[in-house]
């Protein structure tokens, strides 16, 4: 009896998974057979076998994006485009371009995510959510629920980016309204305030409930501190933990010319990827990470000289990148479309630097870091390049496009938003 | 035709004179700009979108010199719209620069990046500085 039961269970299971498998592949085939990369790969430079197309253009400041199981896109804008600040993009005829562009929302911002039947979106002070129907469409675009309110926004590092875990929590970045907590922000030689008062209400990641209304500081917890500003962050389902990309401090040479030359100042400090566990400290403003010495160095505002290391309990980054490239998007790839090497690895959208002059600026590309067992398993590499268009340049206002947000489509395509030209790119793999 | 010839005759010497007068100031200003302003406002004066404003034909650079001098001496952490747009960064006060240095750097930006403006003199900076604090 037991055996037959087990047997029938297995049969049902196999049938079920096969059915699933079948529909999945047919859908996948149907999609990839029509969707073609643009002849010029949308102006991007990609590894062999990859292609790119423009799903939409001219949306303005397209910050973060999310793609539903149906392949529809939600984009959060930091400007007002045709009177609206969130766009729902739908491809009507399966050619890969979004003919349908429906706007809603009247608050500018950065964060957007879909989780458990809700769309979450943030302004620079608040987080809202919208109930979705079975097709993942917003039911009432004019009446979102306000779940978080009253977050600090003092213009510098003001964007609130968001990520959700699988236990009903939402994580929000509250960036520091300062470069290095100097008495006088960005003034040459001005020293750091001890202890830095900004850390009470900013310079970290805060954790809130995803389903409770009108929460503010008192309802949340400071999940991690010592993070100057985070724009790109993602919940990693393999490690079941939050990963963030920090924007490192500016102006080591401008503020302390006796300690740093312009070349060091362009390269330092590292832009860091951290894995965050509750209560960790990443060290801002007291230290920065030097990826060349591979050390946590005390900031000059706090008595550092470019060499002195810290003895405080501050975590190490899991990966470090050259300075000032401004990581604005982070995505762990779990799709099946790209080759095996990309599975569970991290894509990072580097918005591009402004703080490396007189050296040429850097970034303006999407990078990739391979992961194995929840840790980087190799060096980072450039995945998609040439967003800025043209050769090395010095002035950021000349960049045509700047990658900002990342999302994965149901078929495993990678989507990239651009907050400079308002283009939504889709990257597909067509190689063998 | 006659008129053109006459006007060239009349205005040319003045233009040349003005040019030669402010050229050294522009040159000194360029060096100062590279040290104190370039990181934020960039080598082409184009600024950084959303972060640091451009210095190309803005109402501050091309407008009232007193207002320009005051701005650069004081900097700002308040968010002030520049020709209708907001910029996230803070500008540190540049009051550690001497009167002649402020004059040179402002003369430089008023005559670079496509801007064309009269020189700023150390005396003008001195007058404005006296009104601050």
């Amino acid at each position: 009896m037991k055996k037959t039961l087990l047997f029938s269970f297995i049969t049902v299971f196999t049938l079920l998974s096969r059915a699933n498998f079948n529909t999945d592949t047919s859908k996948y085939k149907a999609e990839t057979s029509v969707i073609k990369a643009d002849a010029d790969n949308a102006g991007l430079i990609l590894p062999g076998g990859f292609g790119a197309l423009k799903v939409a253009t001219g949306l303005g400041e397209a910050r973060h994006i999310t793609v539903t199981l149906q392949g529809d896109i939600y984009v959060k804008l930091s400007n007002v485009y045709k009177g609206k600040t969130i766009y729902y993009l739908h491809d009507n005829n399966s050619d890969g371009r979004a003919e349908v562009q429906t706007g809603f929302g009247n608050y500018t911002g950065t964060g957007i995510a879909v989780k458990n039947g809700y769309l979450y979106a943030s302004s620079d002070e608040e987080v809202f959510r919208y109930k979705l129907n079975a097709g993942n469409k917003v039911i009432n675009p004019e009446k979102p629920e306000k779940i978080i309110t009253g977050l600090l926004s003092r213009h510098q590092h003001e964007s609130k980016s968001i990520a959700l875990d699988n236990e009903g929590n939402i994580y929000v970045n509250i960036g520091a309204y300062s470069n290095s907590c100097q008495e006088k922000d960005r003034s040459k030689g001005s020293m750091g305030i001890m202890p830095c008062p900004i850390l009470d209400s900013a310079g970290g990641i805060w954790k809130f409930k995803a389903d409770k209304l009108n929460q503010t500081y008192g309802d949340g917890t400071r999940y991690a501190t010592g993070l100057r500003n985070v724009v790109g962050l993602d919940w990693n389902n393999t490690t079941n933990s939050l990963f963030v990309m920090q924007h490192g401090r500016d102006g080591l040479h401008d503020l302390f010319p006796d300690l740093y030359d312009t070349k060091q100042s362009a390269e330092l400090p590292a832009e860091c990827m951290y894995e965050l566990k509750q209560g960790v400290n990443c060290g801002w403003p007291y230290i920065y990470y030097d990826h060349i010495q591979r050390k946590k160095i005390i900031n000059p505002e706090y008595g550092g000289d470019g060499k002195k290391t810290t003895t405080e309990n501050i975590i190490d980054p899991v990966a470090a990148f050259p300075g000032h490239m401004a990581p604005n998007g982070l995505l762990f790839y779990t799709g099946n479309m790209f080759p095996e090497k990309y599975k569970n690895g991290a894509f990072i959208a580097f918005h591009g630097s402004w703080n490396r002059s007189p050296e040429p600026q850097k970034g303006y590309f999407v990078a990739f870091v391979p992961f194995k067992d929840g840790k980087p398993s190799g060096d980072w590499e450039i995945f998609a390049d040439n967003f800025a268009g043209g050769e090395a340049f010095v002035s950021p206002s000349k960049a045509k496009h700047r990658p900002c947000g990342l999302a994965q489509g149901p078929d495993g395509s990678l989507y990239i938003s651009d907050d400079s030209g308002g283009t939504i790119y889709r990257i597909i793999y067509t190689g063998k | 035709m006659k008129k053109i010839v006459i006007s060239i005759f009349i205005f040319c010497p003045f233009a040349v004179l003005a040019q030669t007068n402010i050229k050294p100031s522009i040159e000194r200003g360029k060096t100062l700009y590279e040290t104190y302003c370039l990181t934020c406002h960039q080598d082409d004066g184009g600024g950084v979108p959303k972060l640091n404003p451009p210095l190309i034909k803005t109402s501050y650079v091309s407008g009232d010199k007193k207002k320009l001098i005051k701005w650069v001496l004081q900097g700002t952490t308040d968010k002030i719209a520049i020709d209708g747009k907001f910029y996230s960064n803070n500008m540190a006060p540049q009051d550690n620069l001497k009167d002649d240095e402020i004059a040179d750097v402002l003369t430089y930006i008023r005559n670079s990046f496509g801007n064309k403006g009269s020189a700023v003199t150390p005396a003008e900076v001195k007058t404005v500085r006296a009104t601050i604090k």
Side-chain angles (χ1 to χ4, degrees):
Chain A
M1 182 57 203
K2 243 187 196 164
K3 251 188 193 161
T4 20
L5 220 147
L6 194 78
F7 186 67
S8 46
F9 237 103
I10 291 172
T11 341
V12 172
F13 230 97
T14 342
L15 278 174
L16 261 176
S17 51
R18 210 177 267 159
N20 248 333
F21 183 65
N22 278 343
T23 46
D24 266 353
T25 35
S26 58
K27 200 173 124 210
Y28 172 74
K29 266 189 192 144
E31 270 199 30
T32 41
S33 59
V34 252
I35 290 172
K36 286 199 185 75
D38 293 348
D40 66 345
N41 280 336
L44 302 183
I45 298 167
L46 300 165
F50 287 92
L53 58 143
K54 290 181 178 174
V55 177
T57 56
L59 287 172
E61 296 165 14
R63 295 286 284 174
H64 282 174
I65 46 172
T66 182
V67 182
T68 69
L69 280 176
Q70 290 72 20
D72 296 326
I73 305 169
Y74 289 103
V75 193
K76 186 79 199 78
L77 308 184
S78 60
N79 68 322
V80 180
Y81 172 66
K82 295 188 183 163
K84 305 293 174 193
T85 60
I86 301 175
Y87 272 82
Y88 164 81
L89 309 180
H90 176 76
D91 174 10
N92 245 347
N93 54 4
S94 302
D95 64 350
R97 333 251 156 208
E99 299 82 17
V100 180
Q101 306 190 350
T102 318
F104 58 100
N106 57 5
Y107 51 93
T108 57
T110 292
I112 198 145
V114 166
K115 189 86 187 177
N116 296 337
Y118 283 92
L119 173 75
Y120 293 81
S122 69
S123 71
D124 291 342
E125 296 89 23
E126 301 182 307
V127 183
F128 301 88
R129 71 171 190 174
Y130 302 78
K131 181 117 188 77
L132 298 171
N133 68 16
N136 279 322
K137 284 188 190 153
V138 169
I139 296 167
N140 194 341
E142 299 313 317
K143 287 220 171 71
E145 294 178 317
K146 186 183 286 181
I147 61 163
I148 307 168
T149 184
L151 302 181
L152 217 60
S153 164
R154 296 205 182 150
H155 298 276
Q156 216 176 150
H157 308 144
E158 66 274 47
S159 65
K160 303 291 178 285
S161 36
I162 54 174
L164 291 105
D165 66 14
N166 300 307
E167 274 136 40
N169 301 302
I170 182 165
Y171 301 82
V172 185
N173 170 64
I174 308 177
Y177 47 91
S178 165
N179 175 37
S180 49
C181 209
Q182 287 172 293
E183 278 160 28
K184 275 189 177 172
D185 189 36
R186 297 180 192 263
S187 286
K188 192 172 155 186
S190 172
M191 296 308 277
I193 310 172
M194 189 70 197
C196 176
I198 294 171
L199 292 167
D200 290 346
S201 52
I205 303 288
W206 266 254
K207 178 182 173 184
F208 296 95
K209 290 273 168 248
D211 60 355
K212 212 176 130 194
L213 304 189
N214 296 314
Q215 302 166 87
T216 186
Y217 281 101
D219 306 291
T221 45
R222 191 176 73 177
Y223 189 71
T225 190
L227 287 158
R228 179 175 173 272
N229 186 33
V230 167
V231 188
L233 76 180
D234 194 19
W235 188 262
N236 183 325
N237 285 310
T238 352
T239 55
N240 206 33
S241 56
L242 182 68
F243 280 72
V244 302
M245 294 292 317
Q246 174 178 239
H247 283 216
R249 59 154 307 152
D250 299 325
L252 282 167
H253 168 77
D254 281 359
L255 304 174
F256 294 89
D258 299 341
L259 295 172
Y260 298 89
D261 63 27
T262 50
K263 279 218 157 65
Q264 289 170 313
S265 192
E267 201 57 26
L268 295 173
E271 302 287 57
C272 293
M273 179 193 284
Y274 291 102
E275 180 179 11
L276 301 182
K277 297 283 160 64
Q278 174 123 19
V280 296
N281 179 5
C282 299
W284 182 90
Y286 310 115
I287 63 113
Y288 66 82
Y289 190 74
D290 178 329
H291 54 296
I292 299 155
Q293 300 183 63
R294 298 189 181 207
K295 282 178 184 156
K296 287 168 286 192
I297 303 291
I298 295 174
N299 261 320
E301 288 84 350
Y302 290 90
D305 58 359
K307 291 184 198 72
K308 269 189 248 168
T309 57
T310 181
T311 53
E312 301 289 316
N313 189 13
I314 292 166
I315 64 166
D316 279 321
V318 297
F321 304 84
H324 314 297
M325 298 199 300
N328 272 9
L330 172 65
L331 176 100
F332 287 98
Y333 185 79
T334 55
N336 293 323
M337 182 195 272
F338 292 4
E340 190 56 30
K341 125 176 191 192
Y342 294 96
K343 196 86 180 208
N344 298 321
F347 285 103
I348 301 149
F350 283 103
H351 197 225
S353 71
W354 60 273
N355 207 248
R356 293 177 75 97
S357 46
E359 298 296 305
Q361 301 300 346
K362 203 166 178 163
Y364 305 84
F365 53 61
V366 173
F368 176 75
V369 186
F371 266 64
K372 202 172 185 298
D373 305 323
K375 290 197 166 51
S377 57
D379 280 342
W380 70 276
E381 62 191 42
I382 295 177
F383 175 72
D385 204 356
N386 205 38
F387 287 87
E391 319 102 69
F393 62 100
V394 180
S395 189
S397 65
K398 293 208 181 88
K400 291 199 184 76
H401 304 280
R402 302 182 79 178
C404 188
L406 298 170
Q408 184 183 308
D411 67 344
S413 301
L414 179 71
Y415 290 79
I416 305 163
S417 54
D418 144 41
D419 69 354
S420 205
T423 300
I424 308 297
Y425 298 87
R426 176 173 177 180
I427 309 224
I428 53 177
Y429 184 70
T430 52
K432 285 275 140 57
Chain B
M1 186 60 202
K2 232 184 202 168
K3 255 191 195 156
I4 296 172
V5 174
I6 291 171
S7 45
I8 287 174
F9 191 68
I10 294 176
F11 288 114
C12 242
F14 287 105
V16 170
L17 205 71
Q19 280 288 336
T20 44
N21 270 348
I22 74 174
K23 225 176 150 196
S25 173
I26 291 177
E27 255 157 39
R28 291 191 301 269
K30 184 172 193 289
T31 314
L32 290 160
Y33 181 83
E34 282 162 5
T35 313
Y36 298 107
C37 327
L38 183 141
T39 316
C40 293
H41 293 290
Q42 305 292 322
D43 72 333
D44 60 352
V48 182
K50 304 276 280 185
L51 210 59
N52 305 315
L55 301 177
I56 303 170
K57 297 185 176 151
T58 66
S59 57
Y60 282 88
V61 177
S62 315
D64 177 27
K65 285 197 266 181
K66 285 197 203 81
K67 199 172 149 197
L68 173 66
I69 296 165
K70 192 162 183 227
W71 175 287
V72 172
L73 284 173
Q74 289 193 305
T76 181
T77 54
D78 301 334
K79 290 304 132 186
I80 296 160
I82 311 289
D83 299 334
K85 286 192 184 157
F86 283 97
Y87 296 89
S88 293
N89 209 349
N90 288 334
M91 174 162 160
Q94 305 294 321
D95 55 358
N96 50 322
L97 297 182
K98 295 191 213 72
D99 291 346
D100 59 325
E101 291 176 318
I102 294 282
D104 288 342
V105 79
L106 294 183
T107 301
Y108 169 71
I109 63 171
R110 280 168 62 81
N111 290 282
S112 308
F113 323 131
N115 302 320
K116 204 95 206 99
S118 57
V120 173
T121 65
E124 286 170 316
V125 179
K126 193 169 184 228
T127 315
V128 175
R129 201 194 289 264
T131 66
I132 299 172
K133 277 187 278 187

